[in-house]
């Protein structure tokens, strides 16, 4: 099956940007109202987007000036939305550090049945001490241990999801199901001991698609072992090419078919009737208020004195370094460093290229559509996770103004295809099953 | 507010009885189909029942001749049903032994928001080694330790559900929410350390109703500390009176208002056009096939030789004893012993009084309605959890034939009242909040 453009919509309460709550049309308290998520999902559905994507941290931030980035539990919320909205998929974020494999496998299989195979499970290893404090007294494990745990977690979840098939009709003489096809998994490992089998039979798309968002070395190894939809921050085409090459190199080294990977970077669209209007909206919704505000924030994030910043001198890639156990996604720092290394770029340009960690495209609907079409035709990426700054308004603008241009260009469907997400994406069960077995063996 | 009859519908895959899968109209594989649960819930809704009740064990039995009693995860399934079916409540079973308090509180609050306050959470302390084996290598803790853990679990969940209120509108100057009303809980205990606050604000009914189903001594202490809807097996009015008196005595000793407790025993209705037809259906759906089959099962369950059984001699209450760590609900054994002690009853009568652990009423719709009316008018119980033997057919018969008789008798509403379940049941937030604080203090 030919690859096709994947477009998903990131949903983070009032929008992708921290200041979005000051810009939502109604009350900013919509972050705790089901109707807000329903309305947003229906807008995404009107644009035939492939999925809505719920990131997650199970913790409330301490700063009341920040909106709660995450509130409702994503799998529960997605289940409700799946009943109310057809066709569209649901990408839910789950921590491999703080979930029981049996629980996750069971909930995933339940939602996959209910939704008819519309689930992508985005596995993250938690990096937030506030999350750790809600799940016990142990400090957050170091990154390396968290990824080792994540590997074992996935291999157990995969084995559970495969542990029970209903292969023949019930037989009043022999029983309701065939015990040959309900196999205990008998897993005994470093982090988990799980008997199995799962009490939910194999689901419609056989197994939820697996998303993965870590771009560090251990994150990439995890991606090629289990991931299918790879989320990342890619700020330039050259950085995207380098990332894809590295991902494919690691995949090939593990015997993974690179055709079963989809690279889907984040994209923050800010749409104006003119480029100037888009830049003004960027200053407003970013909370910086002006170009100077953007530059001041850049200086602060890079740890340099604003007074010493020359906004028109090239940025050094060394400004953005990653430490092994930093408390933020390694991928974001890496992406910033890559951008500075790959291009001769000034702070004034830089602040218009990235927002909230992801690639910013501020301009007219034509500008944004042209950018997406160019990236897609490069063949380097498989799609984009659209991070609308303010929800639902910016997503609505994207669906009404940008999506039709992609459809007119023939790179995005006007209607939903039938079947599970796995089928629509051409990520067949056979490839998936092989991969899981390999992943399991190497864990 | 005056008490009102509570009627809930127990939903266990193909029905309450183990042999139900051989009697369902379509394929017995409906246990893994969302439409089966949707259809069943819609039937319950047509009867204005208060809630559907999902019991649960997160494990697949090893015997293929037994249908899976539990498959889809109850909270996820209930979320889907809550979107599809209005008015009706959802009682979900959750293990205090194998859930993280932060996860449960968050999912409960999410579902309570989505459903508009239609959740009852039935807390159980797992007693099944097959469940324990899916959640680690530790053996199942002894009953006493599990209840100690359950107390701490509830006090943490209660504190989390109360930890964040949205007390004033967002203020662009001061922030989105008021930090005075988002309080870390800072819980450090024997089983859990949880920082809080929860990242979901207080829900519509303020807190999900708490169900409780353990009838042992520790179970009753847990019930009076936290329970609001008390599920139990009560096989005679005299046993029901004794149970209620014991529950009230313990409640008063703890300073609990007995008016905030609702006693809702199970009831297995088997409806026939005549009593004879009902008894034949009982023999069929129980899987015993005949009265002799029922008597043979009775002898086996009591651990006596069938050849030595006199079906017409009174049963000794000592036949059914409870051990401290038995692998089945203590409440069922106790109920059997109580029945034998309170009434001079023969095995032939006994086998028609109880089925699957709960009180059986086999007869015409008039018989069953008269029984429910008599129990309700006794003032001893607050309602019944209807355990239809085969789903959805037996629930459909109950709704079509028995419910109208209860409505005609003026003891059950013809239409849903508005508001949350807590409001409908007259279990006000004030009483609940006091109780939780007391429970928390004594844990």
């Amino acid at each position: 099956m030919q690859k096709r453009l994947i477009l998903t919509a990131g949903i983070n309460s009032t929008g992708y940007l921290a200041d979005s709550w000051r810009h939502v049309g109604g009350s900013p308290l919509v972050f705790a109202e089901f109707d807000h998520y329903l309305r947003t999902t229906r807008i995404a559905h009107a644009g035939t987007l492939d999925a809505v994507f719920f990131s997650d941290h199970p913790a409330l931030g301490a700063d009341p000036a920040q909106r709660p980035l995450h509130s409702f539990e994503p799998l529960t919320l997605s289940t409700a939305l799946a009943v109310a909205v057809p066709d569209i998929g649901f990408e839910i974020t789950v921590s491999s550090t703080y979930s029981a494999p049996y629980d996750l496998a069971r909930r995933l299989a339940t939602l996959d049945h209910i939704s008819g195979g519309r689930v992508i499970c985005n596995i993250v290893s938690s990096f937030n001490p506030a999350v750790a404090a809600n799940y016990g007294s142990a400090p957050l494990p170091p990154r390396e241990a968290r990824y080792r745990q994540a590997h074992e977690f996935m291999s157990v979840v995969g084995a559970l999801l495969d542990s029970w098939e209903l292969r023949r009709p019930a037989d009043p003489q022999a029983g309701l199901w065939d015990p040959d096809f309900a196999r205990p998994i008998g897993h005994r490992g470093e982090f988990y001991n799980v008997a199995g089998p799962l009490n939910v039979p194999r689901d419609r798309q056989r197994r939820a698609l697996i998303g993965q968002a870590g771009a560090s070395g251990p994150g990439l190894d995890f991606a090629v072992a289990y991931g299918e939809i790879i989320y990342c921050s890619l700020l330039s085409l050259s950085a995207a090419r380098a990332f894809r090459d590295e991902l494919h190199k690691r995949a090939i080294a593990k015997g993974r078919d690179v055709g079963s990977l989809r690279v889907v970077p984040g994209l923050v669209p800010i749409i104006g009737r003119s480029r100037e209007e888009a830049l003004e909206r960027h200053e407003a919704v970013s909370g910086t208020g002006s170009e100077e505000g953007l530059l001041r924030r850049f200086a602060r994030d890079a740890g340099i004195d604003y007074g010493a910043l020359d906004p028109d001198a090239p940025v050094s890639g060394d400004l953005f370094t990653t430490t092994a156990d930093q408390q933020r996604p390694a991928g974001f720092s890496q992406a910033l460093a890559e951008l500075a290394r790959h291009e001769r770029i000034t702070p004034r340009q830089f602040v218009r290229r990235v927002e909230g960690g992801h690639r910013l495209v501020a301009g007219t609907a034509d500008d944004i559509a042209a950018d997406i079409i160019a990236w897609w035709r490069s063949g380097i990426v498989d799609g984009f996770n659209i991070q609308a700054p303010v929800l639902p308004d910016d997503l609505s603008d994207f669906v009404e103004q940008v999506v039709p241009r992609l459809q007119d260009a023939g790179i995005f469907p006007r209607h939903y295809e039938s079947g599970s997400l796995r089928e629509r994406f051409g990520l067949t069960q056979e490839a998936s099953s092989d991969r899981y077995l390999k992943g399991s063996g190497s864990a």
Side-chain angles (χ1 to χ4, degrees), chain A residues 221-275:
Chain A
D221 285 339
F222 186 77
V224 300
Y226 300 101
E228 300 178 279
I229 316 292
I230 312 301
Y231 289 93
C232 44
S233 174
L234 299 173
L235 301 177
S236 71
L237 268 174
S238 56
R241 189 182 305 275
F243 174 85
R244 193 204 54 179
D245 290 350
E246 176 66 22
L247 183 73
H248 284 191
K249 193 181 79 181
R250 289 181 187 239
I252 290 161
K254 294 274 186 185
R256 169 87 184 261
D257 171 14
V258 299
S260 63
L261 290 163
R262 299 288 181 274
V263 174
V264 180
L267 175 63
V268 183
I270 296 185
I271 308 172
R273 278 164 298 184
S274 64
R275 175 157 165 86

Side-chain angles (χ1 to χ4, degrees), chain A residues 8-76:
Chain A
T8 59
I11 300 189
N12 300 283
S13 68
T14 51
Y16 184 60
L17 298 189
D19 246 42
S20 53
W21 70 270
R22 298 177 201 269
H23 299 271
V24 292
S27 161
L29 302 183
V30 292
F31 74 85
E33 292 175 12
F34 177 58
D35 278 352
H36 170 67
Y37 301 98
L38 180 57
R39 192 172 154 215
T40 303
T41 303
R42 285 185 168 143
I43 288 168
H45 182 263
T48 64
L49 300 198
D50 291 300
V52 285
F53 181 169
F54 296 98
S55 67
D56 194 46
H57 286 112
L60 178 66
D63 180 359
Q66 302 282 321
R67 73 350 195 330
L69 186 56
H70 311 102
S71 185
F72 290 162
E73 193 275 318
L75 195 149
T76 308

Side-chain angles (χ1 to χ4, degrees), chain A residues 327-345:
Chain A
Q327 305 301 342
R328 55 181 172 163
F332 282 173
S333 315
Q334 278 179 23
L336 296 173
E338 289 292 314
L339 177 60
R341 281 195 198 102
H342 278 85
E343 297 186 31
R344 191 179 158 81
I345 187 172

Side-chain angles (χ1 to χ4, degrees), chain A residues 74-259:
Chain A
L75 195 149
T76 308
L77 176 58
S78 294
T79 304
L81 293 168
V83 173
V85 187
D87 309 315
I88 197 165
F90 297 90
E91 169 124 10
I92 55 170
T93 298
V94 170
S95 167
S96 57
T97 314
Y98 296 112
S99 306
Y102 199 93
D103 281 343
L104 175 64
R106 194 173 176 214
R107 291 194 177 101
L108 265 188
T110 300
L111 176 53
D112 222 18
H113 276 279
I114 288 172
S115 68
R118 292 188 278 150
V119 190
I120 308 169
C121 184
N122 176 41
I123 300 288
V124 299
S125 67
S126 299
F127 57 82
N128 187 331
V131 172
N134 286 331
Y135 291 87
S137 57
L140 200 66
R143 187 187 303 271
E144 190 274 328
R146 283 184 276 128
Y147 271 107
R148 209 165 67 241
Q149 182 178 356
H151 275 270
E152 188 179 331
F153 182 85
M154 282 309 301
S155 109
V156 177
V157 169
L160 285 170
L161 290 174
D162 262 357
S163 62
W164 185 23
E165 275 185 274
L166 292 170
R167 285 242 179 150
R168 59 165 173 72
D171 172 356
Q173 302 309 314
L176 174 54
W177 45 275
D178 188 336
D180 289 347
F181 296 105
R183 300 176 304 274
I185 67 167
H187 176 87
R188 303 189 69 82
E190 179 185 356
F191 298 95
Y192 306 105
N193 294 314
V194 182
L198 194 64
N199 61 349
V200 183
R202 278 174 70 153
D203 51 314
R204 176 169 164 164
Q205 70 179 355
R206 291 305 172 85
R207 192 182 277 146
L209 287 162
I210 302 298
Q212 203 281 337
S216 62
L220 288 178
D221 285 339
F222 186 77
V224 300
Y226 300 101
E228 300 178 279
I229 316 292
I230 312 301
Y231 289 93
C232 44
S233 174
L234 299 173
L235 301 177
S236 71
L237 268 174
S238 56
R241 189 182 305 275
F243 174 85
R244 193 204 54 179
D245 290 350
E246 176 66 22
L247 183 73
H248 284 191
K249 193 181 79 181
R250 289 181 187 239
I252 290 161
K254 294 274 186 185
R256 169 87 184 261
D257 171 14
V258 299

